[in-house]
Amino acid sequence: MSIWQDMYKKKLTTAEGIAKLINSGDYCVSNSMAAEPCSILNALAKRAEKEDLKGITHTLLNPMRDQPYLKPEMSQRIKLNALFVGNCSRDLVWEGYAEYLPGFYSEQPRNVQSRGEINVFYATVSPMDNHGYFSFGTAADLSDLAVNAQKIFLEVNSTAPRTHGNCFIHISQVTALCESKDPITEVISGEITEIDRVVGEYIAAEIPHGACIQLGIGGMPNAVAQALMDKKDLGVHSEMFTESMVDLIEAGVINNSKKNVHRGKCLSTFTYGSRRLYDFLDDNPFVEFYPVSYVNNPFLISQNDNMISINSCIEVDLFGQVCSESIGPKNYSGAGGQLDFVRGAMRSKGGKSFIAMPSTAKGGTISKIKSVLTTGSVVTTTRSDVDNIVTEYGIARLRGKTTSERAKELIAIAHPDFRKQLRKEAQKLHIIP
Ligand code: COA
C-alpha cells in the first residue's frame, strides 16, 4: 500500500462521521451544481435536527437536487446562501428561507471570502489517483477557496468524471473523506423550438471560422451549436462545458487550434448533463477545468480573438438595458457569468456578444422588449456593455448606436403585435422623435 493509500484509509470515514465535524455557526462552501456533496449534506441535515444545530451557512452556486436541508423548516439550522437561483432555491429565496448573494461569477470567490473565515470546504470528487490526487470532477468553480478553509471534506464518487486542468486536490490537504455510491446528478438538455432554431441560424451566420465560443444552457445555445456544424477550427472558453460541445468536438468542428490562450484545450469551470457528457469528460485532457476566478476573468477571455459570447435574458428595454436574472423583483436566476463574458467578448479582437431571446413570453402575451424595464427588474448587462440582441425577427446591433438608433433597432426585432405600442411609448419618453 502506498503512503497515499495509507493516508486515504486513515482519513476515510462516513458521511455521518463528517457531519459530526461540522458545528453550529459554521460557514461552509462547496463546489457547485453536480459537485455538491449531497451525502454529507443529507447526514448533516439529520444531525442538525437531532442535535439542534443552528446557524450553519451552506454556500455554492446553485443546488441541483431537492434535499432535506432545503426544506423551509431547516433554514434556521442550515441556510442556503446561493450565488445563483434555480428551480430548487427560487421559492426559498423569495420566501426568505434562503439567501441570494449577487455578484459576477468571476468575483464570487472573493465575495464569499469577504464574508469571513471559511470553516469548511467540501465537494464531490472522483476517486484518488496513484499520486494521491482527487479531481474536482464536474465543478472547479469555488475550489480556490479550499486552501483558505479550516477543514476540507471530500465525498468520493466513482460516477464523477476525472476531469483535467487546475482542478485537483491532494489527500494530504484533506481533513476527512467519505465514499458515496449515489450517481451524480444527470440533466437532459431541453427541446429546441422553431424559434430557437431561427435565432440559432442568425447567430451562427455571425460566427467566423476559428472563433472561440461561450455557450450557456438551454434551447437557444443548443440551437446555435447545431447551426455551427459547418464551421471550422472553433475553440471553447466557456464557464459551462455543454453537451452540445461534445457534438461539435466529435464532428471535428471544435479543435481549439486558433485560440490564443489555452490553445488546443477547451476551458471551463463547471459542467452538467447526461451520462454521455460525463463519460466524454472522464480522463479527457482535451477539456480543462479551472476555478471561476480564472475562467471568467474578462481580461483572460478577451485574449482570444473572435471571442463570441451567447447568453439569454428575461427582458430588454429600449435603452438596451438587459435584465437576465429577475422577473420584476423576484429573482429568477442570477447574474452568473453573463457580464464577465459580454465584457470579455467586447474587448476581444473581432469579438461579439449576443443576448438571444424569443420576442415574447407567456404564450405571446408579453413582449420581452419593453419601453422601460418592469418595476423591480434587475439590470444584468448595462446599456454601456450591450452589443447585439437577437430575436426570431433578427439582430438589433446596439454597439456604437445612439439612444434613438438603439430604440429603433430594438423595435424592429420586437414581435409585430407590439411594435406600434413600443413606438408610441418611445416617443412619449422622448427616446425617438
Ligand atoms: N416577463 C415575464 N416572464 C418571463 C419573461 C418576461 N419578460 N421572460 C421569461 N419569462 C418567464 C418564462 O415564461 C418562463 O416561465 P416558466 O418557468 O413559468 O415557464 C421563465 O421566465 C424562464 O424563461 P425561459 O425563456 O424559459 O428562460 P431560459 O431557461 O431560457 O433562461 C435566463 C433564461 C435569462 C433566465 C437564463 O439565461 C439566465 O439565468 N441568464 C443569466 C445568467 C447567465 O447568462 N449566465 C451565463 C451563461 S451560463
Side-chain angles (χ1 to χ4, degrees):
M1 188 182 282
S2 77
I3 52 166
W4 309 131
Q5 283 163 342
D6 194 35
M7 204 177 268
Y8 184 101
K9 229 174 130 189
K10 285 190 182 130
K11 294 186 179 190
L12 182 63
T13 174
T14 56
E16 290 70 26
I18 289 177
K20 278 194 195 137
L21 303 172
I22 301 175
N23 303 309
S24 285
D26 273 358
Y27 184 29
C28 308
V29 177
S30 146
N31 275 344
S32 300
M33 321 300 270
E36 189 178 26
C38 298
S39 304
I40 297 177
L41 282 153
N42 287 346
L44 182 61
K46 270 193 201 138
R47 172 168 181 242
E49 270 189 315
K50 204 166 146 201
E51 298 180 31
D52 198 23
L53 300 187
K54 290 200 172 81
I56 296 168
T57 304
H58 172 57
T59 289
L60 80 169
L61 185 70
N62 188 25
M64 291 182 69
R65 276 189 194 185
D66 255 330
Q67 297 160 73
Y69 84 86
L70 287 168
K71 286 191 199 132
E73 61 272 22
M74 287 296 290
S75 71
Q76 297 295 317
R77 306 189 185 285
I78 305 171
K79 191 149 191 172
L80 172 67
N81 215 320
L83 310 179
F84 195 82
V85 174
N87 291 342
C88 299
S89 56
R90 190 167 297 122
D91 288 340
L92 291 176
V93 169
W94 183 241
E95 285 155 19
Y97 296 114
E99 298 273 357
Y100 168 63
L101 198 162
F104 305 134
Y105 198 11
S106 60
E107 291 174 12
Q108 289 292 28
R110 283 171 56 173
N111 298 339
V112 168
Q113 184 72 73
S114 75
R115 294 180 63 81
E117 187 144 24
I118 297 169
N119 305 104
V120 171
F121 180 88
Y122 43 21
T124 287
V125 294
S126 63
M128 188 175 81
D129 66 19
N130 290 339
H131 307 285
Y133 286 96
F134 302 87
S135 160
F136 281 121
T138 57
D141 60 338
L142 303 184
S143 60
D144 47 4
L145 292 174
V147 288
N148 302 329
Q150 290 168 345
K151 296 173 200 160
I152 299 175
F153 302 129
L154 300 183
E155 184 167 320
V156 182
N157 191 318
S158 60
T159 70
R162 182 177 185 275
T163 54
H164 285 235
N166 183 7
C167 63
F168 290 96
I169 187 159
H170 195 257
I171 181 71
S172 57
Q173 295 172 268
V174 175
T175 313
L177 49 90
C178 65
E179 292 173 348
S180 170
K181 291 202 172 11
D182 186 15
I184 58 166
T185 311
E186 284 185 51
V187 180
I188 304 304
S189 302
E191 294 286 303
I192 293 178
T193 65
E194 181 53 21
I195 290 179
D196 294 336
R197 201 192 53 72
V198 171
V199 169
E201 295 282 345
Y202 284 137
I203 297 176
E206 299 281 316
I207 300 179
H209 298 306
C212 184
I213 56 169
Q214 174 256 325
L215 295 176
I217 194 165
M220 273 188 186
N222 287 346
V224 175
Q226 278 195 1
L228 291 175
M229 282 293 175
D230 60 351
K231 302 284 175 185
K232 291 192 190 98
D233 299 331
L234 296 186
V236 170
H237 184 133
S238 180
E239 77 181 40
M240 176 166 176
F241 184 84
T242 66
E243 188 114 23
S244 58
M245 290 171 183
V246 178
D247 300 329
L248 289 167
I249 292 167
E250 289 181 346
V253 174
I254 290 173
N255 61 19
N256 296 304
S257 63
K258 299 282 192 275
K259 285 177 74 179
N260 296 335
V261 285
H262 293 266
R263 182 164 292 184
K265 308 278 183 184
C266 298
L267 198 69
S268 284
T269 196
F270 75 82
T271 187
Y272 60 83
S274 70
R275 190 68 241 166
R276 169 190 174 234
L277 171 73
Y278 300 143
D279 289 342
F280 175 85
L281 289 169
D282 191 37
D283 229 345
N284 187 343
F286 191 61
V287 186
E288 294 195 331
F289 287 79
Y290 276 66
V292 70
S293 56
Y294 181 78
V295 174
N296 279 32
N297 179 340
F299 297 101
L300 181 76
I301 296 165
S302 69
Q303 286 173 36
N304 286 306
D305 295 343
N306 299 309
M307 180 71 218
I308 309 288
S309 106
I310 301 150
N311 291 298
S312 197
C313 73
I314 298 288
E315 63 181 38
V316 181
D317 72 10
L318 291 181
F319 298 98
Q321 303 188 93
V322 181
C323 162
S324 308
E325 53 193 288
S326 72
I327 299 179
K330 183 170 180 178
N331 254 107
Y332 187 82
S333 57
Q338 181 166 120
L339 200 54
D340 294 331
F341 277 90
V342 166
R343 288 185 168 161
M346 292 292 277
R347 282 160 186 75
S348 139
K349 191 173 156 201
K352 300 175 196 171
S353 95
F354 297 89
I355 305 283
M357 60 176 188
S359 63
T360 60
K362 302 283 173 208
T365 57
I366 294 176
S367 173
K368 284 169 77 83
I369 295 177
K370 296 259 164 75
S371 54
V372 290
L373 292 179
T374 305
T375 305
S377 294
V378 172
V379 175
T380 310
T381 294
T382 75
R383 67 174 177 172
S384 306
D385 291 293
V386 74
D387 188 10
N388 300 291
I389 305 286
V390 194
T391 71
E392 69 274 27
Y393 296 102
I395 303 181
R397 298 172 200 275
L398 305 187
R399 190 179 201 171
K401 299 280 167 68
T402 65
T403 310
S404 68
E405 288 167 345
R406 286 167 178 236
K408 286 179 199 156
E409 289 264 336
L410 285 164
I411 292 168
I413 62 155
H415 191 284
D417 291 354
F418 295 95
R419 288 183 198 165
K420 201 167 154 202
Q421 181 64 23
L422 284 168
R423 216 168 285 123
K424 239 199 230 163
E425 288 171 12
Q427 283 167 335
K428 211 168 149 200
L429 290 164
H430 293 262
I431 302 174
I432 56 172

